[in-house]
Amino acid sequence: MGKITVKQTTLDGVLLMEPQFFKDSRGFFVESYNKNDFSQAGIIDEFVQDNHSKSQKGVLRGLHYQYPHAQGKLVRVLKGSIYDVAVDIRVGSPTFGEHFAVILSEEHPAMLFVPTGFAHGFLVLQDNTEVMYKVTDFYYPVGDAGLHWNDPTLSIPWPLDVIGLKSPILSEKDTIHPTLAELKSPFLYNQD
């Protein structure tokens, strides 16, 4: 049975999960998900869908959320690395509008659990980066929503200069999301 180290981040409910990583001359082995271990860590959500993306360096995906049919996410990197960000958009939360960021990479198989009530996004730091994330509800196109990635109120220090870029590569939809001040968040703090 795999063991997982769970670290509470600065945002209540957003967890950094570090599974045991076994590496030798043959390669490596990691148990990335074990329902019993996750239940012991307080994550009882059922994951119903796996998503897998591949992106070039400089792609920024986010900041996304879905409502209705809100999705909790368990994010991990299979290849390459990302600067992964969660933003609290729960109305009434003491950390409303605050973010947590971490670099996730293939070299260190940590995962980020982002529960419902948070916007999520990531900046790709290396070419051909592959990200896999489990979600707790199915994709619901009508509920696809987001928060503007570069809202100055959020003060997210996207490391574009580290990868030699002035601006990220964005989808059209990610250029038009509202700012935090414009956001009419459907999420309430302490609400299931």
Side-chain angles (χ1 to χ4, degrees):
M1 176 170 151
K3 294 295 175 205
I4 194 159
T5 301
V6 181
K7 297 177 181 175
Q8 173 62 58
T9 68
T10 55
L11 300 178
D12 184 35
V14 176
L15 304 173
L16 192 60
M17 321 283 290
E18 296 181 354
Q20 284 185 317
F21 188 61
F22 302 97
K23 193 171 185 177
D24 62 24
S25 60
R26 300 168 298 163
F28 73 87
F29 174 84
V30 63
E31 187 175 278
S32 61
Y33 178 74
N34 179 303
K35 186 175 182 176
N36 291 331
D37 290 346
F38 275 63
S39 293
Q40 288 175 8
I43 300 172
I44 56 172
D45 305 75
E46 178 186 4
F47 293 104
V48 299
Q49 180 177 313
D50 283 357
N51 299 326
H52 185 166
S53 70
K54 181 178 182 179
S55 307
Q56 64 187 18
K57 180 172 73 172
V59 167
L60 194 151
R61 297 179 184 268
L63 297 159
H64 301 149
Y65 67 91
Q66 183 172 287
Y67 190 87
H69 303 282
Q71 295 177 319
K73 297 177 181 178
L74 179 65
V75 184
R76 69 186 181 112
V77 171
L78 302 176
K79 182 179 180 188
S81 60
I82 62 172
Y83 182 78
D84 203 27
V85 178
V87 178
D88 189 347
I89 56 171
R90 300 169 298 169
V91 175
S93 168
T95 55
F96 179 79
E98 293 181 21
H99 72 275
F100 173 78
V102 64
I103 292 176
L104 299 179
S105 74
E106 68 179 300
E107 299 301 321
H108 183 69
M111 301 173 285
L112 191 66
F113 176 68
V114 182
T116 59
F118 294 81
H120 172 260
F122 59 85
L123 174 66
V124 177
L125 303 177
Q126 294 176 259
D127 280 331
N128 300 312
T129 290
E130 295 188 39
V131 177
M132 182 161 235
Y133 54 102
K134 302 175 99 48
V135 293
T136 60
D137 206 339
F138 299 103
Y139 177 59
Y140 184 65
V142 175
D144 197 16
L147 183 61
H148 198 276
W149 71 276
N150 201 24
D151 178 353
T153 306
L154 301 176
S155 299
I156 299 171
W158 299 103
L160 289 162
D161 56 335
V162 172
I163 56 173
L165 295 176
K166 290 187 179 182
S167 59
I169 301 163
L170 300 165
S171 68
E172 185 177 339
K173 76 174 184 175
D174 286 344
T175 65
I176 59 173
H177 291 309
T179 63
L180 187 65
E182 298 165 332
L183 183 69
K184 292 178 174 54
S185 178
F187 301 105
L188 299 177
Y189 185 61
N190 285 337
Q191 180 177 323
D192 292 332

